[in-house]
């Protein structure tokens, strides 16, 4: 009997198939990781804009407003006048931006209203946010994130799991017995 010192063609094809499968799994994981990091960068920009806006309103002592197109993801920050209107639409306080790797699935305000589309306007003043708001965002590949603004603070929170709006503040009157 003669023994062969080489590999058969079948063994070589099997080894190549296993390597191709491993490279395919690695490539898919890298693409998924890249998509996740793009959404995270998108969310970080939006969060940073909201945080800077609220901080600027406190530092300036003047109200600022953000106009968010919930459907398309565009958002722009303007200085607001006493009536809540933009002072100058041609001069935003912060550069306009867009959520391009995620979208706002739903926005909920502390008064219970929910918005799935259209234009949403939020205000920050010298005391912080004028209302609490919760955003449910979805990545273009299905990944979800939640972002919350808390009234009377400059706080903006993001999470990978559902967030809830805090209980609304109720006005308390203290009665002194005479």
């Amino acid at each position: 009997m003669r023994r062969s010192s080489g590999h058969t063609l079948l063994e070589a094809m099997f080894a190549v198939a296993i390597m191709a499968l491993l490279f395919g799994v690695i490539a898919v994981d890298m693409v998924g990781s890249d998509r996740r990091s793009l959404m995270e960068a998108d969310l970080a920009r939006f969060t940073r804009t909201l945080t800077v806006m609220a901080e600027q309103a406190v530092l300036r002592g003047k109200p600022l407003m953000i106009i968010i197109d919930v459907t398309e993801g565009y958002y722009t920050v303007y200085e607001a006048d006493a009536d809540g209107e933009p002072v100058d639409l041609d001069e935003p306080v912060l550069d306009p931006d867009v959520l391009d790797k995620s979208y706002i699935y739903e926005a909920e305000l502390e008064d219970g209203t929910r918005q799935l589309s259209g234009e949403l306007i939020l205000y920050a003043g010298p005391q912080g946010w004028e209302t609490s708001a919760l955003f449910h965002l979805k990545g273009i590949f299905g990944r979800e994130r939640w972002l919350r603004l808390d009234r009377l603070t400059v706080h903006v929170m993001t999470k990978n799991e559902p967030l809830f709006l805090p209980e609304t503040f109720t006005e308390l009157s203290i009665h002194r017995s005479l």
Side-chain angles (χ1 to χ4, degrees), residues 1-41:
M1 284 177 103
R2 199 168 132 201
R3 191 166 181 206
S4 170
S5 63
H7 298 287
T8 66
L9 180 61
L10 186 59
E11 289 172 327
M13 287 174 46
F14 185 70
V16 168
I18 288 176
M19 288 183 359
L21 182 64
L22 287 174
F23 285 130
V25 168
I26 291 169
V28 167
D29 186 51
M30 288 175 55
V31 168
S33 174
D34 188 42
R35 290 176 181 165
R36 285 189 294 276
S37 65
L38 290 173
M39 181 189 179
E40 294 303 322

Side-chain angles (χ1 to χ4, degrees), residues 92-136:
V93 173
L94 298 171
D95 291 334
D97 211 339
V98 65
L99 293 166
D100 56 352
K101 302 296 181 235
S102 55
Y103 63 95
I104 299 170
Y105 178 72
E106 179 181 48
E108 179 183 356
L109 301 177
E110 71 180 33
D111 65 3
T113 59
R114 295 178 185 272
Q115 194 160 339
L116 303 171
S117 62
E119 193 174 86
L120 175 63
I121 300 174
L122 297 173
Y123 296 91
Q127 294 81 27
W129 291 105
E130 290 189 3
T131 187
S132 295
L134 178 65
F135 293 93
H136 180 186

Side-chain angles (χ1 to χ4, degrees), residues 60-103:
R60 292 172 179 222
K62 295 180 179 179
L64 296 176
M65 63 188 295
I66 185 166
I67 301 174
I68 304 168
D69 183 328
V70 175
T71 310
E72 299 294 324
Y74 291 96
Y75 52 94
T76 309
V77 176
Y78 299 98
E79 187 173 328
D81 63 17
D83 297 325
E85 295 296 320
V87 172
D88 186 358
L89 284 172
D90 294 329
E91 290 293 322
V93 173
L94 298 171
D95 291 334
D97 211 339
V98 65
L99 293 166
D100 56 352
K101 302 296 181 235
S102 55
Y103 63 95

